[in-house]
Amino acid sequence: MPDVFINYRTGDGEETATTLERDLSNRFGSRRIFRASKSIEPGALFDDELLTAVRRSSVLIAVVGGRWAAAPELRDPKDWVRREILEAFRCSLHVVPVLVGRRTERLRPDELPRALAKLARCQSVRYDTQDADAGLRRISAFLTDRVPELAEAERALTQTRSRHRPDSVGNWAENVSGTVIQAGDVSGDVGGTVIKHVNGPVHTGTGPQHQPHLSGDGAQYIAGDNREGIHQSFGSRHRREDESR
């Protein structure tokens, strides 16, 4: 179910709509951001899909280009840009006009069809292609404040991507008396892992290792099967056992 519906007119703001959809999808997840040409599957009834997506969303972003208000289609009750915005108002969605570029002026009620005059009263956000990152930050900050589920989705995606980075290193330690250090980039065979001054179970790598009681000074070499203690995973979880030690 989408949280954000991107409304735009082909030929006047569609590039910005595509960029916003791509960046917001990367941040929050593709299914949470609706853009018609991406989100409607081939063969689906587009009119039903459009109105259903609007009704299920929390925010509608109306991408407003320089010629948007003057488009004659906006006066046509059958125009989909118009219908989507009116449906958003009818469903009490939060509607945000996004002004494209530096020269697009804020909407005025007298330049809009009477049915859409309310749109001119909605606080707008400027998206300047010369400073796209700043515009995206403002839009994203508003969305996470307005829709808490988006903030949760962003945190979940960030954690997932961090765990699956090829160069990531994850460490977990328990019952250690002394110093445990993991430093540098580990790839391929680990030639020498040195752990000093350890009192308690130690587990490095993903292979079967077991040495329940380690104590005393000096380096410890571990072999066998250890089911508790310290667990370290390097990079992909699918790496062969002999390559992760």
Side-chain angles (χ1 to χ4, degrees), residues 115-162:
L116 290 174
K118 181 179 178 180
L119 186 62
R121 295 164 48 201
C122 298
Q123 181 63 34
S124 59
V125 176
R126 187 167 299 281
Y127 184 86
D128 184 358
T129 55
Q130 301 299 317
D131 191 12
D133 289 343
L136 181 64
R137 283 195 298 270
R138 287 193 294 269
I139 294 170
S140 298
F142 163 76
L143 291 175
T144 52
D145 286 342
R146 185 72 184 182
V147 187
E149 293 81 1
L150 289 177
E152 296 174 4
E154 182 179 16
R155 284 193 294 270
L157 278 175
T158 300
Q159 292 173 357
T160 299
R161 289 165 180 167
S162 177

Side-chain angles (χ1 to χ4, degrees), residues 90-103:
R90 190 184 72 81
C91 296
S92 300
L93 270 66
H94 208 87
V95 179
V96 182
V98 173
L99 309 180
V100 180
R102 301 179 182 180
R103 297 184 178 182

Side-chain angles (χ1 to χ4, degrees), residues 14 30 38 43 64 71 84 102 104 109 126 147 173 215 221 225:
E14 62 182 314
S30 181
K38 179 209 73 171
V64 178
E84 291 163 7
R102 301 179 182 180
T104 301
R126 187 167 299 281
V147 187
S215 61
Y221 174 81
D225 181 15

